[in-house]
Amino acid sequence: MDKPKCEKLLEKLLQEESLSTLYKTIKLSQNFTVSCFDCSQHDDESPYGKARAYFAAPHLQDTESESKPRIVVCSNRVESSQDIKSVLVHEMIHAYDHCVSRKDLTKCEELACSEVRAAREGECRDNFNNGFGELCSLFGVNPLNNSFNDGSLGEVCEWFKKRCIKEHAVRSTSIVFPIDGPNCVKSVFERCYRDFEPIKGVTSFSRKSKKGSDSDLQQK
């Protein structure tokens, strides 16, 4: 999509209650920006590759030229409002980990942890494994609550959800740490999978508009 359309959709999404609250929580700790940009100039060898969005900050190893933290949505690589929302939630988790929790994302395990959390709330939130998440919901197993206390079906749903998260986290971490990335994800996975700060979230970032609200965010 073109940049003006991306900016318009981005502005609308940032007015949604959960996204707005998370955005303001991060900004209270450190000023940062969110914007759309045509990323066609980024070659395949850059740290961003063909990512649909990225988080950049001054002291991260691959973003030394950045003057302040920012999230960039690549307008030429998203096609819908849902695309933007998915990548925005993902990158906001990174922004929170960097700006509020002060995690050092230049370290393999801390980046891996952030990637696990970001994938859980973004790409693998409620429609993981090519629609299997929607099937879990259809049978009354809610993949949004991350608890899966529903017997054998719940265990299957959680297994697929975790697989989705691991695949995304390993892929992302390995861009920066091609040798150690998979092991870093493995070592932190269970702890970070259950780390919901600042999101207690059951439905905060669901594709469907349910009961997400400011109460889904822990007060700092």
Side-chain angles (χ1 to χ4, degrees):
M1 79 176 55
D2 60 35
K3 183 179 176 182
K5 182 177 180 181
C6 178
E7 294 277 10
K8 184 176 181 180
L9 290 173
L10 182 60
E11 182 180 1
K12 184 177 180 180
L13 285 168
L14 287 174
Q15 293 173 1
E16 290 189 6
E17 198 166 33
S18 294
L19 282 170
S20 174
T21 303
L22 181 54
Y23 177 71
K24 291 173 182 176
T25 299
I26 298 168
K27 290 206 74 167
L28 282 173
S29 181
Q30 186 172 355
N31 189 30
F32 84 114
T33 61
V34 182
S35 62
C36 292
F37 183 73
D38 184 342
C39 300
S40 57
Q41 63 180 300
H42 289 165
D43 58 48
D44 292 340
E45 295 181 358
S46 77
Y48 309 122
K50 293 186 177 180
R52 294 184 298 168
Y54 59 88
F55 170 69
H59 71 275
L60 296 183
Q61 290 176 338
D62 58 350
T63 55
E64 292 178 356
S65 63
E66 300 295 336
S67 60
K68 63 182 177 180
R70 64 172 180 157
I71 292 172
V72 175
V73 177
C74 295
S75 58
N76 58 308
R77 296 173 185 163
V78 291
E79 299 180 355
S80 66
S81 177
Q82 181 55 47
D83 280 350
I84 297 174
K85 184 172 185 177
S86 177
V87 298
L88 186 58
V89 170
H90 181 113
E91 301 305 331
M92 276 194 172
I93 296 298
H94 290 323
Y96 181 90
D97 287 345
H98 172 82
C99 298
V100 182
S101 297
R102 303 297 182 184
K103 291 182 179 178
D104 185 351
L105 302 186
T106 66
K107 294 182 178 179
C108 186
E109 288 193 350
E110 296 208 8
L111 176 62
C113 184
S114 190
E115 293 293 356
V116 168
R117 285 161 38 77
R120 185 197 63 214
E121 299 302 329
E123 303 92 327
C124 305
R125 177 68 185 174
D126 59 346
N127 192 28
F128 50 88
N129 201 60
N130 297 319
F132 190 77
E134 296 288 354
L135 184 63
C136 290
S137 293
L138 182 65
F139 283 93
V141 181
N142 185 1
L144 297 175
N145 63 17
N146 299 290
S147 59
F148 300 103
N149 297 317
D150 297 275
S152 58
L153 179 58
E155 292 175 1
V156 172
C157 290
E158 184 172 30
W159 186 88
F160 276 108
K161 183 181 179 73
K162 284 185 172 182
R163 187 177 77 167
C164 175
I165 296 168
K166 287 176 183 176
E167 288 176 350
H168 280 278
V170 167
R171 187 181 307 122
S172 297
T173 306
S174 295
I175 292 173
V176 182
F177 299 97
I179 297 176
D180 297 330
N183 285 333
C184 288
V185 172
K186 182 178 180 180
S187 67
V188 303
F189 185 82
E190 289 299 330
R191 170 173 60 83
C192 299
Y193 175 74
R194 302 190 184 284
D195 176 5
F196 295 101
E197 185 181 0
I199 303 159
K200 295 177 180 178
V202 174
T203 58
S204 304
F205 301 125
S206 171
R207 290 168 181 251
K208 300 174 183 178
S209 178
K210 295 185 179 180
K211 297 181 181 179
S213 68
D214 288 1
S215 63
D216 291 327
L217 296 170
Q218 295 177 2
Q219 298 300 312
K220 298 298 291 180

